[in-house]
Amino acid sequence: MRVRRSLTIKQMAAVSGVTLVTLCIFITIQLFHLAQQRREDYAQQMEQVAHSIRQPLAEAVLNVDLPQAHQLLNTFKPLGIVTRANVVLPNDIQVLHGDFPPERAVPPLVASLFSLPVRISVPLYTLERMPAHPKPLAYLVLQADSWHLYQQIRSIIITLLATYLLMALVLSVAVSWCMNRLMVHPLRHMARELDALDEGQILHHQLRVSPIHKDDELGMLARHYNRNQKVLAQRFGENLREWPRHPVTALPNESLFTELLAQYLRFQPHLSRFNLLLIDVETLQEAAGVLNEPQRNAMLQAVVARIRSALAEHDELGQTGPHEFSVLARSAERPFQAMRLAREIMAAINAPLTEGELTVRPVACIGIAHHAGDSRPEAAALMLNARSALVSAHHQGKNEILFFDPELTRKTQQRLTQESDILQALEHNEFALFLQPQVELQSDRIIGAEALLRRRLPDGSYSLDAEFIPFAEEIGLIVPLGYWVLEQGCRILADWQREGITIPLSVNLSGVQIQHRNFLLELKTLLSRYQIKPGMLVLEITETARIDDLDRALKLLSELHHSGVSVALDDFGMGYSSLHYLNRLRCLPINIIKIDRSFISSLPEDDLMVRIVSSIANAMDISVIAEGVENSAQHQWLKAHNIPMAQGYLFARPMPRDAFEKLLRQGAPLPEKTGK
């Protein structure tokens, strides 16, 4: 169970954000307060110094003793806090000034915010010495060192930021930890408990709450949830009593089954595909006048047992009439799966049934309504569609199976026929592996082969339709078919090893086959049985394969690395080749990259993609094979650009095993062929 963003992260971000804003406001207020204190300290120090020379300076100015006045003004220089000392008349005319070095400039914003520079003005003397109305003749104006004050303000800012940011971090972590222990952990426990519930446990489930949370909001949440669960269970029980089951089979009757179907449609977490089957067993109706009641009930129970034996665990069975049954086939998502299930049910029903002295072979008809998962239809509408299909099946004859959509019936029957043909072809050895040489471009000699599946046609030739593999994946036959291909490939390699042939053989894998639970065990068994040497078997996985969990599939392949199996990535560049995907490949045992034939076909006119793929392979230290080489121009370009290996119709088409081995024993370079 995963969450996209943990509540712990969100609450820590919220606490940190509020703390930072609060501290910024506090730091700003404290900064201006401390700066004002420094201004006042500077002003007070300058006033004390100014009063100490006020009388001598007044006498020097009164006596017009300019050298003495300059000397007195220059006594401020050693103090280090004064950068300017002037004598100014009341009309702001400067008459004397000290010799001070130029002051270092302060950023204009700082000067504006903190009212720099700091200046004081001290009267020197008065002409009239009347106590009531003293009038100064001139003023001593001192200016503090703004740069020194600016440095102090910077030091204050750094100290405040370091101190309070550390406090904010400690406070955020402490508050988040407390909130995590008190809120997130209990909520996460509740979520895991709910996520682990089986479908049958949901209705009667009750949340357990720690005693520490019984009197807070989490306890209130659990109590409200438990109360709602009890109400739902009570209402559901009342509904079950209102909708009785069949007295003999105890199966849901039509009303209850329709309600169960409606609840499934209403409460399923996402729109899913399923099929609804209605089964009418005509023999039950025909035997009603021949058998007594206990015998009829026994026959009915036997038919129900046969139907149930064909159903999956999560399929729902109901009895909608005396001889009519309904199936909510959750496990059959696709139409051909529903048709296969219907055939299994029909085969089970049609088996001979003996009751007393009467032996019958029951007959039935089945109607199917397919829900494609693109909407939420009414349960009654689906039941009506299935019943319409059942009526149509009755009109067709006995033991008929029809979909509500006639076209769907035709397609599913065609697919099941094709499925049967494939199984028969496997039994009758109609499949074969053709081998296509893989060539070293510098010498044009065979250094490997790719095994390609072919099927014998009625005229004796071999071919394989382009849609065959996707179809085999869809109907679930790719696993046994893929195992057959792997075993045949291992047999070929075992024969080659005995004959001294030491070239690798590549076998294609389906994404569905890789994800099969027994794939790894079956492959290791084959490697052990045929004693395949390391590096001889190459498993090709197509980059565009339909793999639901690519990480898991590729990690599964990495487990084969210790068994000596090489891995090739086929059709490279056509699927997941993002930077993130390439970064994952660096850590996985990918030995070979096969450049897709669509890129090779553009050579030599458009060589950008081939250059890119080649550069990626070189950077990752992975071998490269070019697929689909069909003319000399492509061959020459690949050889000139140091692509080491290639395969294609230019060298040889896929051929039977004996023809390939004959070509291999000749040992000569493959001649180029014209045409495709």
Side-chain angles (χ1 to χ4, degrees):
M1 179 181 61
R2 294 182 178 180
V3 292
R4 296 184 64 183
R5 288 191 64 191
S6 172
L7 186 60
T8 303
I9 297 176
K10 291 182 179 179
Q11 69 186 16
M12 189 167 183
V15 170
S16 301
V18 172
T19 305
L20 286 175
V21 171
T22 304
L23 288 180
C24 285
I25 296 174
F26 183 75
I27 288 174
T28 302
I29 295 173
Q30 193 167 7
L31 176 64
F32 276 93
H33 174 70
L34 292 175
Q36 183 62 29
Q37 282 187 337
R38 292 291 186 275
R39 285 173 46 83
E40 292 175 357
D41 291 344
Y42 271 46
Q44 187 176 4
Q45 291 178 28
M46 288 190 297
E47 284 183 0
Q48 291 176 356
V49 174
H51 282 288
S52 67
I53 66 166
R54 177 182 180 182
Q55 188 63 35
L57 182 61
E59 292 177 359
V61 172
L62 183 63
N63 297 327
V64 197
D65 189 354
L66 297 183
Q68 179 65 19
H70 276 289
Q71 182 179 359
L72 290 173
L73 291 177
N74 290 333
T75 57
F76 292 110
K77 292 172 62 176
L79 298 178
I81 63 171
V82 179
T83 59
R84 187 176 300 175
N86 302 324
V87 175
V88 181
L89 297 178
N91 57 1
D92 292 335
I93 297 176
Q94 177 180 315
V95 294
L96 292 172
H97 63 84
D99 298 326
F100 290 88
E103 184 180 5
R104 297 180 64 178
V106 175
L109 180 62
V110 176
S112 175
L113 287 175
F114 298 101
S115 301
L116 299 181
V118 179
R119 292 189 181 93
I120 64 167
S121 179
V122 177
L124 290 179
Y125 60 90
T126 58
L127 295 176
E128 299 179 6
R129 299 187 177 273
M130 297 175 62
H133 303 285
K135 294 183 180 180
L137 180 63
Y139 294 90
L140 173 61
V141 178
L142 301 180
Q143 178 175 310
D145 186 356
S146 299
W147 178 258
H148 190 261
L149 183 57
Y150 168 62
Q151 292 292 94
Q152 290 186 348
I153 292 174
R154 282 185 59 188
S155 177
I156 292 172
I157 292 175
I158 293 172
T159 303
L160 289 177
L161 283 176
T163 303
Y164 288 118
L165 284 179
L166 180 61
M167 290 176 57
L169 177 61
V170 174
L171 181 63
S172 299
V173 172
V175 173
S176 298
W177 184 86
C178 293
M179 293 178 66
N180 186 60
R181 300 298 301 180
L182 291 175
M183 291 179 57
V184 178
H185 276 217
L187 288 174
R188 189 177 297 157
H189 176 75
M190 291 180 182
R192 287 173 178 167
E193 183 178 343
L194 294 174
D195 184 62
L197 292 177
D198 293 331
E199 189 173 341
Q201 299 174 320
I202 293 177
L203 186 62
H204 301 284
H205 176 258
Q206 296 285 293
L207 275 175
R208 297 185 299 272
V209 183
S210 173
I212 195 174
H213 292 294
K214 285 190 177 297
D215 56 350
D216 60 17
E217 287 81 358
L218 289 176
M220 183 184 299
L221 172 65
R223 288 194 299 273
H224 290 337
Y225 171 83
N226 294 339
R227 182 199 63 192
N228 294 342
Q229 286 291 98
K230 290 179 180 178
V231 172
L232 286 175
Q234 181 180 356
R235 294 288 177 85
F236 188 78
E238 293 173 356
N239 290 339
L240 288 181
R241 288 189 292 271
E242 293 174 3
W243 295 315
R245 296 172 177 264
H246 192 275
V248 178
T249 61
L251 293 175
N253 64 4
E254 183 169 3
S255 299
L256 177 55
F257 184 85
T258 305
E259 180 60 25
L260 291 173
L261 176 60
Q263 288 187 7
Y264 178 70
L265 289 169
R266 190 180 307 121
F267 296 116
Q268 58 182 335
H270 53 81
L271 293 174
S272 57
R273 297 181 293 181
F274 64 90
N275 287 274
L276 177 64
L277 284 67
L278 281 187
I279 309 162
D280 186 17
V281 184
E282 301 174 24
T283 306
L284 293 177
Q285 182 180 11
E286 295 169 355
V290 180
L291 303 175
N292 57 35
E293 184 174 354
Q295 290 174 326
R296 290 197 301 270
N297 293 342
M299 180 176 286
L300 178 60
Q301 293 279 21
V303 170
V304 169
R306 292 183 175 188
I307 297 175
R308 198 186 298 275
S309 67
L311 302 182
E313 180 181 358
H314 298 295
D315 293 340
E316 188 75 38
L317 177 62
Q319 186 168 355
T320 54
H323 47 85
E324 185 181 271
F325 304 91
S326 54
V327 176
L328 172 56
R330 297 185 180 96
S331 59
E333 295 185 352
R334 299 187 178 183
F336 77 89
Q337 293 174 330
M339 178 64 77
R340 182 187 297 163
L341 174 62
R343 287 188 174 184
E344 293 175 0
I345 293 173
M346 187 69 76
I349 293 174
N350 292 157
L353 177 61
T354 300
E355 185 57 45
E357 298 180 356
L358 180 64
T359 298
V360 296
R361 187 180 290 273
V363 296
C365 288
I366 301 178
I368 307 175
H370 174 65
H371 174 52
D374 52 359
S375 63
R376 293 188 185 273
E378 294 292 332
L382 281 176
M383 291 289 291
L384 181 61
N385 292 346
R387 184 156 283 116
S388 297
L390 179 61
V391 172
S392 299
H394 272 299
H395 292 161
Q396 293 280 346
K398 297 181 182 299
N399 295 331
E400 292 290 335
I401 303 172
L402 291 179
F403 279 88
F404 175 70
D405 182 1
E407 181 65 17
L408 213 53
T409 302
R410 186 191 65 80
K411 289 182 179 179
T412 53
Q413 289 178 343
Q414 180 183 3
R415 282 180 175 262
L416 290 176
T417 301
Q418 292 173 333
E419 176 185 359
S420 178
D421 291 343
I422 294 174
L423 292 174
Q424 289 182 3
L426 275 174
E427 293 177 2
H428 299 156
N429 295 322
E430 294 179 5
F431 288 103
L433 290 185
F434 275 42
L435 306 181
Q436 184 175 31
Q438 294 174 338
V439 178
E440 183 184 37
L441 289 179
Q442 296 303 321
S443 63
D444 287 342
R445 295 184 181 274
I446 299 174
I447 58 170
E450 179 179 2
L452 300 170
L453 183 65
R454 295 293 184 264
R455 182 178 180 181
R456 187 172 66 244
L457 302 180
D459 60 1
S461 62
Y462 283 85
S463 181
L464 195 71
D465 185 58
E467 299 299 323
F468 179 84
I469 297 300
F471 174 73
E473 289 180 339
E474 184 178 359
I475 65 177
L477 289 181
I478 194 64
V479 174
L481 192 60
Y483 180 82
W484 182 89
V485 171
L486 276 176
E487 185 172 18
Q488 293 301 313
C490 289
R491 284 182 178 177
I492 294 174
L493 282 173
D495 293 341
W496 286 356
Q497 288 174 178
R498 285 192 296 270
E499 297 174 10
I501 299 175
T502 58
I503 63 171
L505 179 65
S506 299
V507 176
N508 289 278
L509 291 181
S510 162
V512 176
Q513 185 181 1
I514 294 174
Q515 296 174 98
H516 191 260
R517 61 181 181 276
N518 294 328
F519 168 71
L520 184 60
L521 177 61
E522 291 174 348
L523 184 55
K524 287 185 176 181
T525 301
L526 290 175
L527 293 174
S528 175
R529 181 191 307 166
Y530 293 99
Q531 298 181 350
I532 305 302
K533 294 180 180 179
M536 291 296 101
L537 179 62
V538 181
L539 300 181
E540 290 192 11
I541 174 173
T542 305
E543 192 193 6
T544 54
R546 297 182 304 173
I547 300 176
D548 298 329
D549 190 348
L550 185 65
D551 287 329
R552 177 183 172 276
L554 292 177
K555 287 177 182 178
L556 180 66
L557 294 180
S558 68
E559 296 182 24
L560 300 175
H561 184 64
H562 301 292
S563 302
V565 176
S566 300
V567 179
L569 196 60
D570 201 4
D571 298 340
F572 187 81
M574 301 300 292
Y576 306 102
S577 301
S578 63
L579 293 178
H580 176 63
Y581 174 78
L582 295 174
N583 186 53
R584 292 204 306 261
L585 286 183
R586 291 190 305 117
C587 306
L588 295 171
I590 303 297
N591 306 98
I592 300 170
I593 285 178
K594 302 189 74 173
I595 305 176
D596 186 69
R597 64 180 62 249
S598 63
F599 300 149
I600 302 299
S601 64
S602 303
L603 295 178
E605 292 80 10
D606 183 2
D607 60 358
L608 177 61
M609 293 305 300
V610 178
R611 287 178 180 271
I612 291 175
V613 175
S614 177
S615 299
I616 292 173
N618 290 334
M620 298 171 64
D621 195 21
I622 297 176
S623 298
V624 179
I625 296 180
E627 287 188 297
V629 180
E630 298 182 350
N631 58 57
S632 298
Q634 297 169 356
H635 181 198
Q636 295 304 320
W637 189 96
L638 294 170
K639 182 183 293 187
H641 289 81
N642 297 319
I643 304 297
M645 296 172 285
Q647 67 184 87
Y649 288 173
L650 178 67
F651 308 107
R653 291 175 175 270
M655 62 187 72
R657 174 183 171 181
D658 55 353
F660 176 84
E661 292 176 351
K662 180 180 179 181
L663 184 65
L664 187 63
R665 291 188 183 97
Q666 293 175 356
L670 289 182
E672 294 186 1
K673 300 181 180 181
T674 59
K676 292 187 179 182

